[in-house]
Amino acid sequence: MGKGGNQGEGATDREVPMPTFSWEEIQKHNLRTDRWLVIDRKVYNITKWSSRHPGGQRVIGHYAGEDATDAFHAFHRDLNFVSKFLKPLLIGELAPEEPSQDRGKNSQITEDFRALRKTAEDMNLFKSNHLFFLLLLAHVIAMESIAWFTVSYFGNGWIPTVITACVLATSQVQAGWLQHDYGHLSVYKKSMWNHLVHKFVIGHLKGASANWWNHRHFQHHAKPNIFYKDPDVNMLHVFVLGEWQPIEYGKKKLKYLPYNHQHEYFFLIGPPLLIPTYFQYQIIKTMIVRKDWVDLVWAISYYARFFITYVPFYGILGAILFLNFVRFLESHWFVWVTQMNHIAMEIDREPYRDWFSSQLSATCNVEQSFFNDWFSGHLNFQIEHHLFPTMPRHNFHKVAPLVKSLCTKYGIEYQEKPLLRALLDIIKSLKKSGELWLDAYLHK
């Protein structure tokens, strides 16, 4: 139990000895209306402040009742700046006899991972090459220009239209990888500049919302492949994933769709529809409901530019159909790349692991090559990206040997696959989960 002192939203009397708390007490405060967490053995009451958290209240709430030290360091680039927000929330510290890690998490792995992070910092692996990202932006804009030139010079026949759509889809995918860099604060040292350019890239170049992306994507990073915490594994009853979920659905006789055929209908409703339908609806709804007017203006600027450019060639209806065809092509590329690193990995309920182990269990890599790096926006280094979200992607290959070494020390599997195998594993994983569902549905 807590000992002495004020347990309100931030102790103010620094002359009074700091209250101390046990993990048993801290873990009780993991409700939506009562949230405590621990960073560097300090205990913070984030109940009221979580709604003002720039990354969204859900991502910070996922660590309520836990040690959030490694997540805190992983997500925040300017620790001196964000620490100012923590001071009013401080209510005490862990009791001296309490371990730094909750729920028996491996403290030795945690110490070694933090030493690895310090080594990466000393190697300047968190320092970005601004020319690298400038060239990425330039090649996106160049493709936009090539697309316009193609239809402008060759006309709006079928062949120029398909070529233009493919070029635009490539531009959209590459802009997607680029906004991902800025969204993770991995380009500029100052967060403000990352946020500003992020809004430009995701808003003006893609027609999406920075806040929508932040609130969704950071949850995925905080608790990857964890049901009820990672939105990327919330399949809305369309698919069942991993081993636990299909068995649960089967036992409860839940059959929203024939899940034993999900590896087949994935081709019909997965890659083709995610961006043109689900994401598009979710983005627009989120901006309006949350009154994200700045993001909405950025998104409108994208659509205005697109229709001003292509309505003269296709008319209003034609331009709308053309836009959705581009989204259709982009969606295939996006889904296959983003799922090849995660869907074949462990997907389960909250296991309460240390940061290093939790990220390794949910991610795998794809072999490095110039094409794979470009094709996936360096997300073929998904392990390194998840361990160090603010690290510039051009440095992932430099930190990878250190990560492999730590995995070897503790017998943790470091999975790295050829690109084709990683893509095929998506289907194999869906098929396996579907078979587990069918067996449980029929026999349990």
Side-chain angles (χ1 to χ4, degrees), residues 325-339:
F325 181 52
V326 172
R327 295 283 197 224
F328 169 82
L329 296 174
E330 176 196 3
S331 189
H332 281 80
W333 190 334
F334 174 83
V335 170
W336 286 100
V337 169
T338 56
Q339 295 309 307

Side-chain angles (χ1 to χ4, degrees), residues 1 7 27 41 99 111 116 127 133 144 184 202 205 218 222 228 258 279 288 301 306 314 330 339 416 428 430 432-433:
M1 295 294 291
Q7 297 181 21
Q27 287 165 10
R41 296 189 64 86
E111 289 180 16
L116 189 160
K127 185 176 181 180
F133 292 103
E144 295 272 351
H184 275 296
I202 196 172
L205 295 184
F218 290 156
Y228 313 118
F279 272 9
I288 294 173
S301 75
F306 184 91
Y314 298 106
E330 176 196 3
Q339 295 309 307
E416 187 175 42
K428 288 173 62 178
L430 289 172
K432 179 183 176 182
S433 296

Side-chain angles (χ1 to χ4, degrees), residues 381-440:
F381 287 97
Q382 192 73 235
I383 292 172
E384 288 70 28
H385 171 57
H386 264 254
L387 291 173
F388 311 104
T390 60
M391 181 179 288
R393 58 161 124 158
H394 53 71
N395 287 333
F396 289 157
H397 73 282
K398 297 178 183 177
V399 78
L402 302 178
V403 175
K404 291 179 183 178
S405 178
L406 189 56
C407 287
T408 301
K409 179 178 179 179
Y410 288 100
I412 298 174
E413 186 178 10
Y414 181 100
Q415 289 197 40
E416 187 175 42
K417 308 173 183 178
L419 177 61
L420 182 59
R421 182 191 154 195
L423 296 174
L424 291 175
D425 279 352
I426 296 174
I427 305 305
K428 288 173 62 178
S429 176
L430 289 172
K431 188 174 187 292
K432 179 183 176 182
S433 296
E435 289 171 348
L436 288 172
W437 169 81
L438 183 62
D439 182 65

